[in-house]
Amino acid sequence: MNNVKNIFSIKDLENLSGIKAHTIRIWEKRYNVLEPMRTDTNIRYYDLASLQKLLNITLLHNHGYKISKISKLSEDRIPAMVREIISDKSVKNHAINAFKMAMINFDHTLFFNTYNNLLAEKSFREVFYEVFIPLMNEIGLLWQTDTISPAHEHFISYLIKQKLLVNTEKIQVLEPTKSDKVFILYLPSNEIHELGLMYLNYEIILSGYKSVYLGESVPIDSLKDIKRYFNNVVYISYMTVEPDKDKVNDYLKEFYEEIIDNETDELWTIGRITEHINQNQFPKVRIFSSIKDLTYML
């Protein structure tokens, strides 16, 4: 347990729960819902039990319970009420909190139990859209604010990738039913954030198209050979951090010259770097703001 984060600042609690630090302090002082520990210099810090309790309190509060009522509940009653009120409306937030606790603790068992409970009620697509996408968005912010370490992000990302691979394998045995286009999925050189691209691969195969998944950090030269095998190609690339925002248009100019050399091929792009693309310069590049928007085109 040496690599488990078990001490949290009040800012960590704010980032993980969504409750402002000022509000947490008021809840402590007025309702005694948390009992922070103190450093020698009187700075608050919290343990895992406090984090878990705050996440449960947050769910109850968001569900309409007043903090004055929650504060009167016993320690055992709070998690019991959380289990009782979980419904389709609240299961998303509860699952996200459970996954965050699994990440903080590097807890495989909690991840798998939470995932299996979700899958008993929802399809894999629903789990991905309703839980995994918001979870990864939150995790990105938690990493940026130093609430979690890169190790936490890699841990939870790998477990989600496992589920993507398992579900993709189930449908890869099916022959494509649509032949008007072929999709080639790749990430640019030095781009390694492939979770979104992996899900798009799943959606494309599920839609009946042939998908050729190349994965992370693929240089343009490596795409030259594969294009000889297919006609009517749609390339899909997820641009999270690469190419650099100041170089993305130069990258696309090279991609146009080397790869898109006919009337039918296209490049579909997604990711925050796409905000810096001069689309007027590249009429055969489509920019999508979200995974859901892109899958509507399938």
Side-chain angles (χ1 to χ4, degrees):
M1 297 289 289
N2 291 336
N3 56 354
V4 173
K5 180 169 181 174
N6 51 25
I7 298 297
F8 303 89
S9 68
I10 195 167
K11 192 65 178 176
D12 289 338
L13 262 62
E14 176 182 305
N15 292 332
L16 286 160
S17 69
I19 303 297
K20 294 294 185 183
H22 174 69
T23 301
I24 295 173
R25 292 189 187 98
I26 291 174
W27 287 1
E28 287 174 8
K29 184 175 181 179
R30 190 172 299 170
Y31 301 106
N32 198 33
V33 294
L34 295 178
E35 296 182 7
M37 295 167 280
R38 300 274 183 171
T39 66
D40 293 339
T41 54
N42 205 35
I43 296 174
R44 287 175 170 85
Y45 68 96
Y46 303 81
D47 59 12
L48 275 169
S50 295
L51 170 60
Q52 181 67 74
K53 184 177 181 180
L54 180 61
L55 292 175
N56 284 335
I57 289 172
T58 301
L59 187 141
L60 292 176
H61 190 253
N62 290 341
H63 205 75
Y65 288 86
K66 293 182 178 180
I67 190 65
S68 57
K69 180 177 180 178
I70 298 172
S71 66
K72 296 175 183 176
L73 299 173
S74 68
E75 292 293 319
D76 294 337
R77 185 59 184 149
I78 291 175
M81 285 186 64
V82 167
R83 290 191 293 269
E84 289 170 8
I85 69 169
I86 291 174
S87 62
D88 288 340
K89 184 178 180 181
S90 62
V91 69
K92 168 186 166 182
N93 290 332
H94 178 72
I96 289 174
N97 285 341
F99 283 133
K100 284 193 285 190
M101 287 301 297
M103 174 186 66
I104 292 293
N105 284 297
F106 297 101
D107 188 339
H108 297 85
T109 302
L110 179 56
F111 176 91
F112 290 127
N113 287 341
T114 304
Y115 174 80
N116 290 334
N117 289 336
L118 283 171
L119 214 57
E121 302 292 335
K122 297 176 178 291
S123 69
F124 175 71
R125 295 176 79 191
E126 289 173 325
V127 171
F128 197 89
Y129 278 117
E130 296 176 18
V131 179
F132 283 157
I133 289 179
L135 173 67
M136 294 309 296
N137 288 338
E138 283 196 39
I139 286 171
L141 295 173
L142 293 174
W143 180 78
Q144 290 173 25
T145 56
D146 290 328
T147 303
I148 61 173
S149 70
H152 289 111
E153 182 185 18
H154 288 301
F155 172 80
I156 200 75
S157 297
Y158 175 71
L159 291 176
I160 295 173
K161 285 179 183 180
Q162 279 187 320
K163 296 306 176 186
L164 271 169
L165 289 169
V166 167
N167 283 275
T168 302
E169 185 178 15
K170 291 177 182 177
I171 59 175
Q172 277 181 321
V173 297
L174 303 174
E175 287 293 327
T177 58
K178 300 175 182 177
S179 57
D180 57 303
K181 58 176 70 76
V182 172
F183 290 88
I184 296 176
L185 283 67
Y186 79 99
L187 297 181
S189 294
N190 301 316
E191 177 63 78
I192 60 172
H193 296 83
E194 65 174 333
L195 196 58
L197 195 73
M198 290 176 68
Y199 183 73
L200 288 173
N201 184 49
Y202 169 82
E203 284 279 3
I204 289 165
I205 297 170
L206 192 65
S207 297
Y209 284 105
K210 181 176 180 61
S211 177
V212 180
Y213 188 86
L214 302 182
E216 62 186 54
S217 198
V218 179
I220 289 177
D221 280 347
S222 297
L223 297 171
K224 292 180 182 178
D225 292 332
I226 197 167
K227 73 172 187 173
R228 294 183 294 134
Y229 293 89
F230 305 105
N231 298 315
N232 301 328
V233 174
V234 175
Y235 300 88
I236 297 183
S237 189
Y238 219 113
M239 300 178 179
T240 304
V241 296
E242 292 289 343
D244 182 86
K245 64 181 182 179
D246 296 325
K247 299 178 181 178
V248 65
N249 289 295
D250 291 337
Y251 173 85
L252 290 176
K253 184 174 183 295
E254 181 183 358
F255 188 93
Y256 248 66
E257 293 171 352
E258 300 292 339
I259 305 301
I260 297 184
D261 56 4
N262 58 53
E263 292 297 319
T264 58
D265 292 354
E266 289 184 289
L267 172 63
W268 294 3
T269 61
I270 186 171
R272 60 173 175 258
I273 294 297
T274 60
E275 298 174 3
H276 305 280
I277 293 175
N278 180 359
Q279 198 166 12
N280 293 331
Q281 188 178 348
F282 308 106
K284 294 179 74 61
V285 173
R286 292 195 190 190
I287 300 172
F288 296 89
S289 59
S290 68
I291 289 175
K292 187 168 285 189
D293 286 345
L294 192 152
T295 56
Y296 283 150
M297 298 297 297
L298 299 176

